[in-house]
Amino acid sequence: MQAFFVSHTHWDREWYMTREKSRYLLLGLMEELFALLEEDPGYSFMLDGQTIPIQDYLEVRPDRRQLLASHVASGRITIGPWYVLPDELLISGESHIRNYLEGQRQCRELGASMDIGYLPDSFGHPSQLPQILAGLGMNEIVFWRGLGPGISRTELSWTGKDGTEILGINLPFSYGVAACMPEQPEAFVKRLKLKLGMLTPLTDGGVILLMNGVDHVAPQRAFPANLRAAQEKLPDWKLSHGTLAQYLQAVRAQGLKLERAEGELRSGFRAYLLGGTISTRMYLKQANYRAELLLERYAEPLSTLAWIRHGARYPRAELRQAWRTLLSNLPHDSICGCGVDAIHQEMMQRYRHLEDLAGAVLGAAGTAFHGQGDGSFGVFNPLLHPRSDIVRGSLVHGEQLLRKVNFDTGVLEEFSPAEDHRVPTGIVVRDGSGNEMQGVLHSAQSEDTMHLSLQTQPEMFRGTRIEFSFSPPALAATAVSFFDYRLTYDARPASPPGKVVRQMENEHFTVTFEPADASLRITDKRSGQAYAGLHVFEDGGDAGDEYTWSWPRADRTVSMDPASVSVSVDGTSAFPSMVVRGALKAPARLAADRQTRSTDLVDLPVESRISLCPGAPRVDVRTTVSNTAEDHRLRVLFPLGAHVDTASAEGIFSVDERPVTPRDASAFSDWVEPPSTNPQKSFVSVCAGPRGLAVANRGLPDHEVIQDGNGHAVIALTLLRCVGWLSRPDLLARKGNGGWTLPTPGAQCPGTHVFEYSIIPHAGPWNEAGVLALAHQFAVPALLFTPGPRAPASRDDGSEPLVQVDRREISLSALKAAEEGDGCIVRLWNASDRTVDAAVRFGVPVASMQRTDLAERAGPAVTGRDGAFTVRFPPWKIVTLKVDFSGNRP
């Protein structure tokens, strides 16, 4: 038997301590490591599979770069492949890919990369991770959490949703099984025998892996000598010290017959899954959704259109910096919200920095498109297919100069803009052909704006900021459409004053408010199906921590107090909205013993604006909650009114099917952590024949499908989960402590929160009813922006699709400049279990096109005819195309 030791550290950049405290320790660790490498020529060390700690170190010690690079090049320090060790479920598929690409950039600068799928501490693994890893050039994963009772060995084969199969190496006792080994040789051997006895029964082969390291620990100087001494005491073992790559080579050489795992790995049977982190500090999840949306759907593709169509400079460096900022928020302890308050406050500041930078990139891209004159604006549809939908945005109307520097006098001059005392009450929008579309003016207020320029000092203007919505009949895919507007000033109210309206309708639905339980009833005019009891709020106690939701021993749930509810109507007949206001009388916190909820009650004010969309079969909801309570979980419920066995939810390049089972804690008594809620991207759906119901969302990743008293399915969407501890040892839902017992009052999420989600009744399963497309339309709104000044002539105004695909199963993941060279990357994925041959068309001439892997390494050429390229998409396959438009760009 061979025992293979890999010395390493696991470096949580921010967790129970802040980034700067962590960095201080890191500086000491690196100096100890360099000293040990000099003392022992045979010693090697792994720097945790991520490069961001190296970045943090070199910011303070740039003088150590050459020394570090020499050890990396020689293989004595292994780094990469990732930039950060992320949470795999909360981030987007693109974030996974960019995390690798950024890590590789830093590894190349230092001379080498450990191209191994090392993900030791993620809180579960998505079903498409094997395809992602293989597409990045890695055919294995080394991991800890997520295996269910069906796997009993440390070596396994893992098959992803698309059929990609990779080698899995499970770390059943974590990545710290041989951490902090004793300094004394006799105690060292005793501990080693214990660890060998734990691991040997879990393999059918002759090689076991012992990870010598754990969170924030330096290399052990006595370890090499103790290991050599232990070899004499254990002649039946070959004790080896080296790298993960050497261990994997030894495992593969055995040719073992492996147990097989399929699909997502999210079981709490063997190790803590810590699934409550999907809903901890929901404001972080919403901020990350906005950041990924801004980069992936707006800034990158609009910059690509401006570059390809108008020859604008592609802001490669700026976008990379924005991506680095985003990725720095995605380590598992960061985006999961399971750290001390200070680190999450810093994260929010980083999100603000990203929004500033990416917003500037987006503004510059927008000015490359030339408007049609005063009062014009552009609308960008970043989706791969045309859409009819609500467009909402804001513009500054009627700007007049307020102040600027007079360089002749050196004085900051003040001007007095003429004031318009009229108050706009409406808006009319026209398309390029002059066709009028009714809009809704949501707000209009005076605003001073600053215009920046590299040619002069800023100039300030005063105008009116208008926020409005309108519904164009069609928006072309991956294209810009132009419109203009005029404000109206008549004073017609949307509905008679004082009239209580509890029903609204459009061509798709009738929506009725039911005052008895403050619920909605939606009748689908297309199918005749009626859905009752929708949108009921449920607030229950949470005796858990940042890692895990846990129920109090004697819980008490509350709903909106019907006596507090008022209903009013808003909008117009074309844009009907209903506003429901009320409050939940909720216990203020847990009782002192944390076994029950307190008898003190507080009001949780809630306002929901329910809107119907012309042309879109959805019911959109915007809910504002003023959170005044602690130790609780607030969810909103959507009953199907029928029994189902499975639920479907979008994941990472996938739609995952999960069984719906009654909650029975006794069935999981031997689990370390019983299952609870599930992750999602844009939607969750349940269906029983012609009766289907989906709920789409914007940045709300936590859901559960439960059963009511009749055994009918109910979608429970989590809005808030509020706790006051990083970890606790006394949870009913988890055996033992998940981390350090530290107070985290910020995780109680006090204050005002806004949540956006959409109800989508449908007939038949999600894939037949077009639910994914409807959910993407909600989750990825069309972008309204201000174009540049009108140009005398424009070769290409951007109104034709840059790329379009003729099959609805195909979704767009990325539209951007290639990492290297002069090409454009179009990444697509097949959201179906069928092979699809799709025609991919481009709105400008294509010089050449080739497939690449996810790391953009070149593959076979793709040929086309008459501007169309036929691309084959096997089931659930991600396809990356590198397109050369060089013959078209000016």
Side-chain angles (χ1 to χ4, degrees):
M1 292 286 289
Q2 181 178 14
F4 216 101
F5 293 83
V6 175
S7 293
H8 76 107
T9 190
H10 180 60
W11 204 261
D12 295 303
R13 187 188 194 216
E14 49 189 15
W15 177 23
Y16 55 83
M17 56 183 169
T18 62
R19 180 169 60 97
E20 291 305 327
K21 288 182 180 178
S22 173
R23 173 152 50 187
Y24 181 83
L25 294 178
L26 179 63
L27 293 170
L29 180 149
M30 293 300 295
E31 294 310 303
E32 292 189 34
L33 174 58
F34 288 142
L36 180 53
L37 289 169
E38 184 175 355
E39 292 172 8
D40 190 333
Y43 188 80
S44 63
F45 193 79
M46 184 176 74
L47 275 174
D48 204 25
Q50 55 176 334
T51 62
I52 200 168
I54 299 169
Q55 174 184 297
D56 287 345
Y57 172 71
L58 291 177
E59 284 178 357
V60 179
R61 294 298 308 269
D63 57 304
R64 290 300 218 181
R65 174 178 288 274
Q66 186 173 351
L67 176 61
L68 175 60
S70 68
H71 287 309
V72 170
S74 69
R76 300 187 66 198
I77 295 179
T78 52
I79 64 172
W82 311 107
Y83 183 57
V84 301
L85 291 179
D87 182 84
E88 298 169 29
L89 299 163
L90 287 170
I91 72 175
S92 71
E94 277 304 310
S95 290
H96 276 284
I97 296 167
R98 310 310 176 86
N99 185 32
Y100 176 82
L101 295 177
E102 182 58 35
Q104 290 304 292
R105 271 192 285 273
Q106 301 201 4
C107 287
R108 285 194 298 270
E109 292 175 359
L110 291 168
S113 171
M114 180 188 75
D115 268 1
I116 293 170
Y118 183 66
L119 292 158
D121 201 18
S122 299
F123 304 158
H125 310 276
S127 63
Q128 285 279 46
L129 190 63
Q131 183 182 180
I132 293 172
L133 291 173
L136 294 171
M138 297 173 283
N139 294 304
E140 65 286 305
I141 180 173
V142 180
F143 69 106
W144 173 20
R145 308 178 195 273
L147 280 184
I151 301 294
S152 62
R153 295 294 182 260
T154 52
E155 307 89 358
L156 62 137
S157 172
W158 182 20
T159 302
K161 191 175 183 69
D162 74 312
T164 298
E165 188 173 347
I166 62 173
L167 172 66
I169 301 297
N170 182 237
L171 306 172
F173 304 108
S174 90
Y175 49 82
V177 65
C180 303
M181 294 291 284
E183 297 290 321
Q184 297 300 318
E186 297 80 5
F188 185 98
V189 172
K190 182 179 179 180
R191 174 88 61 84
L192 180 54
K193 288 180 178 179
L194 173 66
K195 301 301 181 179
L196 295 175
M198 293 165 55
L199 286 165
T200 302
L202 301 180
T203 180
D204 292 328
V207 183
I208 62 173
L209 175 64
L210 294 99
M211 302 294 287
N212 170 229
V214 74
D215 307 343
H216 308 119
V217 297
Q220 295 185 269
R221 300 186 79 147
F223 181 83
N226 278 334
L227 192 62
R228 289 190 290 268
Q231 182 67 83
E232 298 179 4
K233 304 283 187 180
L234 300 170
D236 294 335
W237 283 88
K238 179 182 178 182
L239 306 181
S240 303
H241 183 255
T243 65
L244 267 185
Q246 292 167 336
Y247 161 75
L248 288 166
Q249 184 180 14
V251 169
R252 286 195 165 98
Q254 298 176 100
L256 297 175
K257 184 178 180 180
L258 301 175
E259 295 177 332
R260 298 176 64 88
E262 295 183 356
E264 62 182 354
L265 302 180
R266 293 193 58 253
S267 170
F269 172 70
R270 184 180 295 181
Y272 294 146
L273 188 66
L274 309 178
T277 54
I278 303 170
S279 54
T280 303
R281 300 183 191 260
M282 192 64 82
Y283 64 88
L284 287 177
K285 281 62 170 177
Q286 292 175 289
N288 192 66
Y289 154 78
R290 293 191 297 268
E292 289 179 333
L293 181 73
L294 180 57
L295 286 179
E296 298 173 23
R297 301 299 196 168
Y298 299 147
E300 282 188 341
L302 194 62
S303 294
T304 301
L305 262 68
W307 167 51
I308 297 297
R309 293 189 181 281
H310 296 293
R313 181 184 70 87
Y314 188 83
R316 192 185 305 269
E318 294 90 335
L319 286 168
R320 282 182 177 173
Q321 176 59 28
W323 269 106
R324 278 192 292 269
T325 304
L326 172 59
L327 292 170
S328 68
N329 273 351
L330 301 186
H332 48 280
D333 293 306
S334 301
I335 188 58
C336 284
C338 52
V340 293
D341 290 345
I343 75 167
H344 300 301
Q345 293 165 2
E346 184 177 348
M347 283 178 65
M348 291 304 292
Q349 185 62 39
R350 290 198 289 265
Y351 280 124
R352 286 188 282 270
H353 291 164
L354 183 152
E355 289 173 359
D356 280 349
L357 176 55
V361 167
L362 190 58
T367 60
F369 298 87
H370 302 297
Q372 305 304 306
D374 294 339
S376 72
F377 60 91
V379 174
F380 173 51
N381 173 20
L383 298 181
L384 195 60
H385 304 286
R387 67 197 294 179
S388 297
D389 204 352
I390 291 279
V391 175
R392 181 166 180 156
S394 68
L395 298 169
V396 178
H397 170 79
E399 284 188 308
Q400 299 181 72
L401 184 63
L402 183 61
R403 60 181 62 91
K404 72 172 185 176
V405 174
N406 184 324
F407 287 96
D408 291 331
T409 63
V411 173
L412 181 62
E413 292 186 334
E414 299 282 342
F415 298 86
S416 299
E419 293 189 43
D420 186 349
H421 296 286
R422 298 178 302 166
V423 177
T425 57
I427 190 169
V428 174
V429 178
R430 292 187 297 265
D431 63 17
S433 300
N435 300 310
E436 289 194 356
M437 291 159 283
Q438 187 177 0
V440 174
L441 184 66
H442 302 293
S443 65
Q445 57 187 3
S446 178
E447 180 175 309
D448 293 351
T449 59
M450 181 177 284
H451 293 202
L452 305 179
S453 170
L454 289 173
Q455 281 68 51
T456 186
Q457 288 281 282
E459 296 180 347
M460 294 198 69
F461 292 78
R462 177 163 293 166
T464 301
R465 170 71 65 179
I466 58 171
E467 185 173 352
F468 65 99
S469 298
F470 75 106
S471 182
L475 293 172
T478 62
V480 173
S481 302
F482 291 98
F483 302 88
D484 60 45
Y485 70 92
R486 62 178 175 83
L487 298 178
T488 59
Y489 294 89
D490 51 78
R492 293 185 302 234
S495 62
K499 182 180 179 181
V500 176
V501 178
R502 291 181 177 152
Q503 188 175 93
M504 59 183 180
E505 62 182 318
N506 65 2
E507 68 271 32
H508 301 297
F509 307 115
T510 300
V511 180
T512 305
F513 177 75
E514 302 288 354
D517 60 355
S519 70
L520 299 178
R521 179 183 181 88
I522 298 178
T523 300
D524 189 335
K525 296 181 178 180
R526 303 163 300 174
S527 66
Q529 296 286 334
Y531 302 82
L534 299 174
H535 201 251
V536 170
F537 293 95
E538 176 195 75
D539 188 80
D542 193 334
D545 52 27
E546 289 188 319
Y547 290 120
T548 305
W549 169 79
S550 187
W551 57 94
R553 193 172 298 278
D555 198 6
R556 178 158 52 109
T557 60
V558 297
S559 299
M560 189 178 287
D561 178 8
S564 70
V565 174
S566 65
V567 184
S568 61
V569 69
D570 196 6
T572 67
S573 59
F575 294 83
S577 292
M578 185 186 301
V579 181
V580 179
R581 298 180 178 89
L584 290 80
K585 291 191 176 300
R589 62 191 65 84
L590 287 175
D593 62 1
R594 298 185 62 83
Q595 302 297 306
T596 62
R597 303 185 76 179
S598 72
T599 56
D600 297 337
L601 300 181
V602 295
D603 280 346
L604 285 180
V606 176
E607 176 184 294
S608 292
R609 179 179 296 273
I610 301 108
S611 303
L612 291 173
C613 313
R618 307 186 316 254
V619 181
D620 293 349
V621 186
R622 179 183 174 92
T623 290
T624 302
V625 177
S626 297
N627 183 37
T628 57
E630 298 180 348
D631 309 320
H632 69 117
R633 180 177 67 174
L634 178 65
R635 306 200 292 186
V636 59
L637 308 180
F638 304 90
L640 174 67
H643 174 81
V644 299
D645 294 319
T646 60
S648 308
E650 187 188 8
I652 310 292
F653 295 122
S654 69
V655 177
D656 296 307
E657 311 292 331
R658 301 186 180 102
V660 176
T661 56
R663 180 62 57 81
D664 181 2
S666 63
F668 305 101
S669 59
D670 56 344
W671 287 42
V672 174
E673 183 182 347
S676 57
T677 60
N678 290 305
Q680 65 177 347
K681 288 302 177 187
S682 69
F683 80 92
V684 57
S685 170
V686 288
C687 173
R691 189 176 181 83
L693 187 66
V695 178
N697 74 89
R698 292 177 179 162
L700 304 175
D702 187 70
H703 80 280
E704 186 178 15
V705 178
I706 58 179
Q707 292 182 338
D708 63 17
N710 298 316
H712 294 166
V714 180
I715 296 172
L717 179 68
T718 305
L719 303 184
L720 283 172
R721 194 175 78 82
C722 307
V723 293
W725 294 90
L726 193 155
S727 182
R728 292 189 63 89
D730 56 355
L731 274 61
L732 297 177
R734 191 185 68 223
K735 299 175 181 177
N737 226 323
W740 304 102
T741 305
L742 296 170
T744 56
Q748 296 284 10
C749 302
T752 300
H753 303 266
V754 178
F755 309 102
E756 295 178 293
Y757 43 93
S758 185
I759 309 166
I760 306 175
H762 60 88
W766 68 270
N767 52 338
E768 297 176 9
V771 169
L772 183 64
L774 288 169
H776 282 182
Q777 287 181 16
F778 178 75
V780 185
L783 174 71
L784 190 151
F785 68 93
T786 303
R790 186 174 186 176
S794 177
R795 181 173 54 86
D796 181 356
D797 66 3
S799 59
E800 292 298 320
L802 181 62
V803 57
Q804 57 184 327
V805 177
D806 66 343
R807 295 294 295 266
R808 302 292 296 186
E809 300 96 328
I810 308 304
S811 291
L812 180 68
S813 178
L815 178 59
K816 69 181 190 73
E819 296 296 304
E820 305 292 340
D822 195 31
C824 174
I825 292 295
V826 181
R827 188 158 21 251
L828 311 163
W829 62 283
N830 179 6
S832 78
D833 56 7
R834 300 182 297 273
T835 295
V836 172
D837 290 319
V840 182
R841 294 182 178 273
F842 296 92
V844 296
V846 172
S848 65
M849 185 166 73
Q850 63 182 160
R851 284 178 179 260
T852 75
D853 66 5
L854 296 180
E856 301 183 20
R857 291 178 281 251
V862 181
T863 58
R865 187 175 181 180
D866 298 328
F869 297 79
T870 299
V871 180
R872 172 155 291 186
F873 294 82
W876 301 107
K877 213 67 175 179
I878 309 162
V879 173
T880 304
L881 304 171
K882 186 175 183 180
V883 188
D884 181 4
F885 295 111
S886 59
N888 178 72
R889 290 197 303 278

